[in-house]
Amino acid sequence: MRAIADIANRLHLDEADWEPYGRYKAKLDLSLLHRPRQQQGKLVLVTGMSPTPAGEGKSTVTVGLGQALHQLNKNAIVCIREPSLGPNFGLKGGAAGGGYAQILPMADLNLHFTGDFHAITTAHNLLSALIDNHLHQGNALHLDPKRVVWKRVVDLNDRSLRRIIVGLGDNNGVVRESGFDITVASEMMAILCLVESFSELKEALGAILIGYTYDKQPVTVHDLGAEGALAVLLKDAIRPNLVQTLEGTPAIVHGGPFGNIAHGCNSLIATKMALNLGEYVVTEAGFGSDLGAEKFFDIKSRKGGLHPDAAVIVVTVRAMKYHGGVRRSELTQENLEAIKRGFENVKHHARIVSKFGVPFVIALNRFADDTEAELTFVEQLCDEQGFMVSRTEVWAQGGLGGVDLAQKVVAQVESGASNFRPLYPLEAPLVDKIERVATEVYEAAGVVFSDVARRQLAECEANGWGNLAVCIAKTPYSFSDDATLRGQVSGFQITVREVRASLGAGFIVCLTGDIMTMPGLPKIPNALKIDIDEQGTITGLF
Amino acid sequence: MRAIADIANRLHLDEADWEPYGRYKAKLDLSLLHRPRQQQGKLVLVTGMSPTPAGEGKSTVTVGLGQALHQLNKNAIVCIREPSLGPNFGLKGGAAGGGYAQILPMADLNLHFTGDFHAITTAHNLLSALIDNHLHQGNALHLDPKRVVWKRVVDLNDRSLRRIIVGLGDNNGVVRESGFDITVASEMMAILCLVESFSELKEALGAILIGYTYDKQPVTVHDLGAEGALAVLLKDAIRPNLVQTLEGTPAIVHGGPFGNIAHGCNSLIATKMALNLGEYVVTEAGFGSDLGAEKFFDIKSRKGGLHPDAAVIVVTVRAMKYHGGVRRSELTQENLEAIKRGFENVKHHARIVSKFGVPFVIALNRFADDTEAELTFVEQLCDEQGFMVSRTEVWAQGGLGGVDLAQKVVAQVESGASNFRPLYPLEAPLVDKIERVATEVYEAAGVVFSDVARRQLAECEANGWGNLAVCIAKTPYSFSDDATLRGQVSGFQITVREVRASLGAGFIVCLTGDIMTMPGLPKIPNALKIDIDEQGTITGLF
């Protein structure tokens, strides 16, 4: 690992532009957002086809592409999300990329890193405490304890906290049902990733909906007067974190909102700062393009005035077989027929990216079990469609394994073909916006609204929230809201069963299917395998 | 503020000995504990008389004495606790010292600092999640859900979380009553402050009692197998934090266990490291000497083999009047008679410190309202008793205001008069140890044990925990367990109503009176006055 000062030097930063957090991490100063620069960097979004539950290596390709661009002497910066701590102690160890295309220092990144998530947890829970204290101390705002929508968060997998009763005992506040989500599901996480200054941060925090009065009027953080204190708790978390890839490529790792009930991208501040500092900025969005890219385009890019220059759609032989109908236990067997069926899924993702006006390259991310026949077949299918395609082997080879991909990405960017525009105008009614995403992105036949959702959407419009973006929470394993309907499906209906207003983040969350906002631990948690020796060396975390 | 590298240079540290956390904080490497050195530093404990609820400036004198020793060209290091974040958003802003005798950077120290408390919160709650997951996933250890003693923590004042029911809903774990304490009350905080290595840390974490089986056998973290993962979460928190005083004196700020249900001192690692690095180490313990100093001597010093060379007993005219029977609203009026009565309290604290064989200096910490007649009178009372006394004005004057105190402390240290020994042998039965603290330190007539406490103590002895130290949780405002009995009181009984086993920390907590382990917020929380502007300048926090 290079000293973080060396990485800062690569970006031509002055000493005042960054603060060290240990030897290999730094916080970047917000003034870098406003430094005049002759030419803005080019923005490349890495997205993917519908994944398998094992993941298709999108982060690995993102990191590897950054490294490969350096091989081409492009000053590239990788911009990704911070991983959540909790899941590392659950099913499997954490990661940020993998193999020879990963972010360092790995252990720090997967534990407390620079404390951003802890700051968000603390700010979120301070607000919760202030709300319960308000109820306890006279409730001047007439907040209905049964209509408080703000819960608490913890950055752990803890199913027992999903639904709890608080306030038991004498003088311990008002008894009511509440619960905890995992920190990445906090609206404050989404907010941190969509603002560009302290004043915007305070405004967004102030706009958070905390509940309703007895006569059903919305109550916000601003009504409580807490946005200043909450912003103070986020004063360092708002600054992006500089680290490095295994090959010393600068990486800015910042923020990590959920990809379902939030928009699933790294922070706008980090992305814009990187565009000020680098020639190429490679970033990613959660899940497949139906979820992550749609939100990256319609929510993040629109909010920040970003102009994505190109996209990379990560595909794997494995995922094509999965979406071609093959069982998980048989994914390692060669199966060209299944690939052919699964390629329909790839074509759909290509249509989605094209709908936003962004040129793309298909990154065929090679796994050890893939046969040459399979890989060649996928390339042939892409050629038939006129898709630019590149095999990547960045996991095994680092940047060198992505040079061809990098060249093709550069070609797409330099073609100037990007004609980016969001899918829908914000001015459209919420129902229309939901229907456009469902029919044009998911290619659903239509949208079914539950009675509850229809009433909630009408209330949102009545409350003046109709011109917010929509953030649809849906399974990533299908274009539909049924995770078992893999591959390319059509003729399905999307059912919106409930709607939540994230007024601070600026979107209306539409829940389809069961969306888990607090994971549980498995029977044998990974935590039980993790250890540290007398020299501080960690085992079992990855 | 000086760059942290300058402070590290003052301590003759190599670059490998510390890691920067921002420009003004650093983490110190554990190897500094084992660096051979010709001469160990001298250890000075700052304690106090029974306080008023407003506090008597013990931390301020601690910081000021460190600064004053530098004025005498002594290489001194100040070692204090990290403040808890939660209370800053409650009744009043935070602090670490005050006036011209404080620790910098103040805002960082009172917010997230280097993340130590967040790490403890996370480790504590990971254990909680693992326990509830164990109950949910078959409960192989036969843990009785009604006898789980391990709760959760949050570093906030949140009364609504004191008593909660977890696990509601389908497949969300086992429904049971539990609750949250504030993070400083976590046994893991006490453990972090009493171990000296990763192996000791893991052993102590493994020894934590989490509950009892259905047939009442104790169950520990080691039975779950989680100590490795918990230690990993504390890998950075275990390293002490280097900062500076307003005058550039090196300060090591590390750990912050509660002064009632825990031992209330900064970490043993920090203190021992400072003894390796400085000529004089000035540290403090919570509350008056009946609570803080007793635990510093009987728990921390015994555990770490420390040899305190001298003590400072901080007294104030205000506290003497308060303990002389004056109402809080009349404390600013001159009252020599009340001072005379209140001085009995000072004499009692002097007896306590002497009982441990440690020579002392009385620091008369001057406040603006004190009259010259009052100050002179206190000095005269001290002279009559043969107490070395020194007026300190470090709040107003910084180190210069404590030079006389520093000279007297040096004289006491250099006299070699310290003949430190703990009060009781660990081998004595728990009941005997409690009675010795009560009768010899508090000067109680005796101890009353509730039926519950008597049964619990018998169980502790039966479980083989009889040779642990005792940690008595008692009000700091009286030597008795009744906060209203101020001043010097005698003939009272101490009632132990409940006992808790902190097997990881190595002590049995004895609860007397009502001990609050989760504070609440006031009607108008300080949070509502806190703000931050576009340049990141904070207001209302202090």
Side-chain angles (χ1 to χ4, degrees):
Chain A
M1 255 189 295
R2 292 162 176 82
I4 196 64
D6 293 348
I7 307 299
N9 286 340
R10 283 197 172 197
L11 297 176
H12 309 290
L13 299 183
D14 295 331
E15 268 200 21
D17 294 335
W18 59 282
E19 265 198 310
Y21 269 60
R23 297 195 177 87
Y24 306 108
K25 296 165 285 184
K27 280 269 177 197
L28 297 173
D29 201 86
L30 288 189
S31 64
L32 290 169
L33 268 178
H34 307 291
R35 191 138 315 168
R37 193 156 171 278
Q38 291 192 318
Q39 208 185 349
Q40 281 282 300
K42 300 299 184 183
L43 181 57
V44 179
L45 172 71
V46 178
T47 181
M49 68 180 293
S50 302
T52 71
E56 309 320 305
K58 203 168 51 192
S59 296
T60 304
V61 171
T62 305
V63 174
L65 174 58
Q67 295 179 155
L69 285 161
H70 268 270
Q71 302 276 355
L72 302 182
N73 291 315
K74 301 287 185 192
N75 173 14
I77 300 174
V78 172
C79 274
I80 65 169
R81 286 175 289 175
E82 303 178 48
S84 179
L85 184 153
N88 297 338
F89 294 89
L91 210 54
K92 57 163 190 149
Y100 286 89
Q102 58 177 266
I103 307 281
L104 303 177
M106 193 68 125
D108 286 28
L109 206 64
N110 283 288
L111 292 170
H112 312 289
F113 199 36
T114 58
D116 295 344
F117 285 18
H118 291 321
I120 289 166
T121 303
T122 306
H124 185 118
N125 292 340
L126 173 61
L127 175 54
S128 315
L130 289 168
I131 291 169
D132 270 307
N133 189 59
H134 186 87
L135 293 174
H136 176 71
Q137 305 271 10
N139 195 11
L141 292 172
H142 303 291
L143 191 56
D144 183 350
K146 290 191 194 296
R147 290 197 176 85
V148 173
V149 297
W150 190 256
K151 301 198 288 179
R152 289 175 173 82
V153 295
V154 63
D155 194 8
L156 288 169
N157 294 15
D158 193 347
R159 74 169 64 70
S160 293
L161 294 179
R162 283 177 191 150
R163 284 181 59 193
I164 65 171
I165 293 174
V166 302
L168 299 177
D170 273 356
N171 207 34
N172 291 342
V174 172
V175 178
R176 62 182 188 89
E177 187 175 331
S178 188
F180 280 70
D181 291 328
I182 193 164
T183 298
V184 287
S186 169
E187 186 181 347
M188 289 192 192
M189 179 69 86
I191 288 172
L192 190 87
C193 291
L194 287 169
V195 298
E196 298 181 45
S197 65
F198 279 114
S199 52
E200 259 197 82
L201 174 65
K202 278 196 287 184
E203 195 184 327
L205 291 168
I208 290 173
L209 178 72
I210 58 176
Y212 297 86
T213 61
Y214 287 104
D215 51 359
K216 300 193 184 165
Q217 295 306 303
V219 180
T220 65
V221 168
H222 185 70
D223 296 326
L224 269 185
E227 61 266 41
L230 302 177
V232 164
L233 281 167
L234 300 176
K235 81 175 177 66
D236 295 318
I238 200 176
R239 289 187 291 156
N241 308 293
L242 179 66
V243 286
Q244 63 189 289
T245 75
L246 200 65
E247 296 181 3
T249 309
I252 302 182
V253 180
H254 193 221
F258 247 23
N260 41 41
I261 64 157
H263 61 292
C265 314
N266 76 317
S267 81
L268 190 53
I269 286 184
T271 303
K272 292 191 108 164
M273 205 175 270
L275 289 167
N276 268 351
L277 297 172
E279 283 177 276
Y280 274 79
V281 175
V282 185
T283 189
E284 68 166 329
F287 303 126
S289 73
D290 50 331
L291 288 171
E294 187 274 321
K295 290 164 185 159
F296 178 84
F297 294 139
D298 277 328
I299 297 176
K300 178 177 173 175
S301 297
R302 179 187 341 237
K303 169 71 175 63
L306 299 176
H307 181 85
D309 294 284
V312 171
I313 303 174
V314 177
V315 308
T316 61
V317 164
R318 179 174 70 177
M320 272 179 263
K321 286 191 277 195
Y322 180 78
H323 289 285
V326 174
R327 287 186 211 175
R328 282 176 74 176
S329 58
E330 291 167 8
L331 288 176
T332 54
Q333 295 166 25
E334 184 175 282
N335 190 334
L336 299 187
E337 272 308 304
I339 287 174
K340 184 159 189 182
R341 288 192 300 275
F343 190 72
E344 294 302 313
N345 181 281
V346 176
K347 283 162 66 182
H348 187 159
H349 285 283
R351 287 196 294 277
I352 292 172
V353 172
S354 299
K355 193 168 287 285
F356 289 91
V358 178
F360 62 86
V361 181
I362 304 281
L364 175 54
N365 188 30
R366 183 173 190 168
F367 277 65
D369 290 320
D370 301 347
T371 67
E372 185 57 39
E374 290 176 321
L375 293 163
T376 308
F377 185 52
V378 174
E379 287 165 340
Q380 181 194 320
L381 292 169
C382 287
D383 288 343
E384 286 170 10
Q385 297 296 321
F387 297 164
M388 214 180 257
V389 61
S390 173
R391 268 191 223 192
T392 65
E393 306 193 49
V394 294
W395 194 93
Q397 296 177 22
L400 277 178
V403 166
D404 179 69
L405 174 65
Q407 284 166 335
K408 287 171 174 157
V409 166
V410 169
Q412 287 288 42
V413 167
E414 291 185 349
S415 75
S418 178
N419 179 25
F420 168 70
R421 68 267 163 184
L423 180 72
Y424 53 78
L426 286 178
E427 298 69 33
L430 291 167
V431 166
D432 293 6
K433 288 182 278 200
I434 296 165
E435 283 174 345
R436 284 201 64 177
V437 174
T439 56
E440 297 186 39
V441 174
Y442 311 153
E443 299 180 0
V447 182
V448 176
F449 294 93
S450 74
D451 290 347
V452 169
R454 195 167 287 284
R455 178 175 56 73
Q456 290 170 327
L457 285 165
E459 285 170 6
C460 285
E461 297 280 0
N463 285 328
W465 309 332
N467 57 358
L468 296 181
V470 295
C471 180
I472 299 181
K474 182 183 75 62
T475 176
Y477 302 117
S478 172
F479 288 114
S480 79
D481 55 13
D482 176 353
T484 64
L485 295 179
R486 302 185 207 161
Q488 171 56 12
V489 287
S490 61
F492 59 89
Q493 300 279 337
I494 290 283
T495 302
V496 176
R497 60 173 176 81
E498 190 192 331
V499 156
R500 294 179 194 166
S502 288
L503 305 184
F507 48 68
I508 301 295
V509 179
C510 307
L511 300 173
T512 74
D514 286 330
I515 297 299
M516 180 77 80
T517 51
M518 171 53 93
L521 290 167
K523 179 145 187 162
I524 300 175
N526 193 51
L528 306 186
K529 298 169 204 147
I530 295 173
D531 204 358
I532 187 166
D533 69 12
E534 197 60 28
Q535 281 66 49
T537 308
I538 297 170
T539 47
L541 184 57
F542 311 114
Chain B
M1 254 189 295
R2 292 162 176 81
I4 197 63
D6 293 348
I7 307 299
N9 286 340
R10 282 196 173 197
L11 297 176
H12 309 291
L13 299 183
D14 296 330
E15 269 201 18
D17 295 335
W18 60 282
E19 264 197 311
Y21 270 59
R23 296 194 176 88
Y24 305 108
K25 296 165 285 183
K27 280 271 177 196
L28 297 173
D29 200 87
L30 288 190
S31 65
L32 290 169
L33 268 179
H34 306 292
R35 191 140 316 171
R37 191 157 172 278
Q38 292 191 317
Q39 209 185 350
Q40 280 283 299
K42 300 298 184 184
L43 180 58
V44 179
L45 173 71
V46 178
T47 180
M49 68 180 293
S50 302
T52 70
E56 309 319 305
K58 203 168 52 194
S59 296
T60 304
V61 171
T62 304
V63 174
L65 175 57
Q67 295 179 156
L69 284 162
H70 268 269
Q71 302 275 354
L72 303 181
N73 291 314
K74 302 287 185 190
N75 173 13
I77 300 173
V78 173
C79 274
I80 64 168
R81 286 174 289 175
E82 303 177 48
S84 178
L85 183 153
N88 298 338
F89 294 88
L91 210 52
K92 56 162 188 150
Y100 286 90
Q102 57 175 267
I103 307 281
L104 303 177
M106 193 69 125
D108 286 29
L109 207 62
N110 284 288
L111 292 170
H112 311 290
F113 199 36
T114 58
D116 296 344
F117 285 18
H118 291 321
I120 289 166
T121 303
T122 306
H124 186 117
N125 292 341
L126 173 61
L127 175 55
S128 315
L130 289 169
I131 292 169
D132 270 307
N133 189 58
H134 186 86
L135 293 174
H136 176 71
Q137 305 271 12
N139 196 10
L141 291 170
H142 303 290
L143 193 56
D144 184 349
K146 289 191 193 299
R147 289 197 176 86
V148 172
V149 297
W150 190 257
K151 300 198 288 181
R152 288 175 174 81
V153 295
V154 64
D155 195 8
L156 288 169
N157 294 15
D158 193 347
R159 74 169 64 72
S160 292
L161 292 179
R162 283 177 191 149
R163 283 181 61 194
I164 65 171
I165 292 174
V166 302
L168 299 177
D170 274 355
N171 207 34
N172 291 343
V174 173
V175 178
R176 63 184 189 87
E177 186 175 330
S178 189
F180 280 71
D181 290 329
I182 192 164
T183 298
V184 288
S186 169
E187 187 181 345
M188 289 191 192
M189 178 69 86
I191 288 173
L192 190 88
C193 291
L194 287 169
V195 298
E196 298 181 45
S197 65
F198 279 114
S199 51
E200 260 197 81
L201 174 65
K202 278 196 287 185
E203 195 184 326
L205 291 169
I208 290 173
L209 178 72
I210 57 176
Y212 296 87
T213 61
Y214 286 105
D215 51 359
K216 299 191 184 169
Q217 295 306 302
V219 180
T220 65
V221 168
H222 184 71
D223 296 325
L224 270 185
E227 61 265 41
L230 302 177
V232 164
L233 281 167
L234 300 176
K235 81 176 176 65
D236 296 317
I238 200 175
R239 289 187 291 156
N241 308 294
L242 179 67
V243 286
Q244 63 189 289
T245 75
L246 200 65
E247 297 181 3
T249 309
I252 302 182
V253 179
H254 192 222
F258 247 24
N260 42 40
I261 65 158
H263 61 293
C265 313
N266 75 317
S267 80
L268 191 52
I269 286 184
T271 303
K272 293 191 108 166
M273 205 176 270
L275 289 168
N276 269 351
L277 297 172
E279 284 177 276
Y280 275 79
V281 175
V282 186
T283 189
E284 69 166 326
F287 303 127
S289 73
D290 50 331
L291 288 171
E294 188 274 321
K295 289 164 186 160
F296 179 84
F297 294 140
D298 278 327
I299 296 175
K300 177 177 173 176
S301 297
R302 181 190 334 242
K303 170 72 174 63
L306 298 176
H307 182 86
D309 294 286
V312 170
I313 303 174
V314 177
V315 308
T316 62
V317 164
R318 179 174 70 177
M320 272 179 262
K321 286 190 277 195
Y322 179 79
H323 289 285
V326 174
R327 286 186 214 174
R328 284 175 73 175
S329 57
E330 292 167 8
L331 287 177
T332 54
Q333 295 166 26
E334 185 175 283
N335 190 333
L336 299 186
E337 273 308 302
I339 288 174
K340 184 160 186 178
R341 287 192 302 273
F343 190 72
E344 295 302 312
N345 181 280
V346 176
K347 285 162 65 181
H348 187 159
H349 285 282
R351 287 195 295 277
I352 292 172
V353 172
S354 299
K355 195 169 286 285
F356 289 91
V358 178
F360 63 86
V361 180
I362 304 281
L364 175 53
N365 189 31
R366 185 173 190 166
F367 277 65
D369 290 320
D370 302 346
T371 68
E372 184 57 37
E374 289 176 321
L375 293 163
T376 308
F377 185 51
V378 174
E379 288 166 339
Q380 182 194 321
L381 291 168
C382 286
D383 288 343
E384 286 170 10
Q385 296 296 321
F387 297 163
M388 214 180 257
V389 61
S390 174
R391 269 191 221 190
T392 65
E393 305 192 50
V394 294
W395 194 93
Q397 296 178 22
L400 277 177
V403 166
D404 179 69
L405 173 65
Q407 284 167 334
K408 286 170 174 156
V409 165
V410 169
Q412 287 289 41
V413 166
E414 292 186 348
S415 75
S418 178
N419 179 26
F420 168 70
R421 68 268 163 183
L423 181 72
Y424 53 79
L426 286 179
E427 297 71 32
L430 291 168
V431 166
D432 291 7
K433 287 181 280 201
I434 296 165
E435 285 176 343
R436 284 201 64 178
V437 175
T439 57
E440 297 186 39
V441 174
Y442 310 154
E443 300 180 359
V447 181
V448 175
F449 294 94
S450 74
D451 290 347
V452 169
R454 195 167 288 283
R455 179 175 54 73
Q456 289 170 326
L457 285 165
E459 284 170 6
C460 286
E461 296 282 359
N463 285 328
W465 309 332
N467 56 1
L468 296 180
V470 295
C471 180
I472 300 181
K474 183 182 73 63
T475 175
Y477 302 117
S478 172
F479 289 115
S480 78
D481 54 13
D482 176 353
T484 65
L485 295 179
R486 303 185 210 161
Q488 172 57 13
V489 286
S490 61
F492 60 88
Q493 300 280 334
I494 291 284
T495 302
V496 176
R497 62 173 174 81
E498 190 191 331
V499 156
R500 294 179 195 166
S502 289
L503 304 184
F507 49 68
I508 301 294
V509 179
C510 307
L511 301 173
T512 75
D514 287 330
I515 298 299
M516 181 77 80
T517 51
M518 172 52 95
L521 290 167
K523 180 147 187 160
I524 300 174
N526 193 51
L528 307 186
K529 298 168 205 150
I530 295 174
D531 204 359
I532 188 165
D533 70 12
E534 196 60 27
Q535 282 66 48
T537 308
I538 296 170
T539 47
L541 184 57
F542 311 113

